[in-house]
Amino acid sequence: RALLLALQAWLTRRGLGPEPGESPAAHLRRIAPRAGPAGPALEESARHLERLVYAPVGSAERRERQRRLARRVAEVRRRLERRSAPAP
């Protein structure tokens, strides 16, 4: 949960925040088409998030999904930072 809240705050600072009442997964899916190379990682993050929240998963699978989500969040940040970085 903390990872997702931090990602949403980070996205909000870049003008890609959630709409009022929008679920975290819906938020990530909505901005994915506008996020360039970070789009697929946003889509995957939404999928992992929904599995973590709604699917009955065992503790080993939950840990693996959490790791996958953390990797996708890091990828989103890297790709969006590159996109918004000024050219040298």
Side-chain angles (χ1 to χ4, degrees):
R1 184 154 169 81
L3 177 67
L4 186 58
L5 291 174
L7 174 62
Q8 285 189 302
W10 187 84
L11 290 167
T12 297
R13 289 190 300 274
R14 282 152 182 79
L16 298 169
E19 298 291 327
E22 187 172 45
S23 74
H27 168 224
L28 299 179
R29 282 196 175 96
R30 178 178 55 80
I31 64 171
R34 308 187 319 215
L42 285 164
E43 288 283 348
E44 264 190 71
S45 295
R47 247 189 331 276
H48 290 308
L49 174 63
E50 287 174 335
R51 286 282 294 176
L52 282 167
V53 173
Y54 300 112
V57 295
S59 60
E61 185 177 348
R62 176 168 296 284
R63 283 190 303 276
E64 178 57 28
R65 292 244 173 229
Q66 288 169 335
R67 281 191 292 271
R68 288 179 187 175
L69 179 59
R71 285 192 301 263
R72 294 297 77 80
V73 166
E75 182 180 347
V76 166
R77 288 182 175 209
R78 279 191 314 273
R79 290 177 182 252
L80 283 176
E81 283 174 349
R82 278 189 218 142
R83 189 180 91 161
S84 61

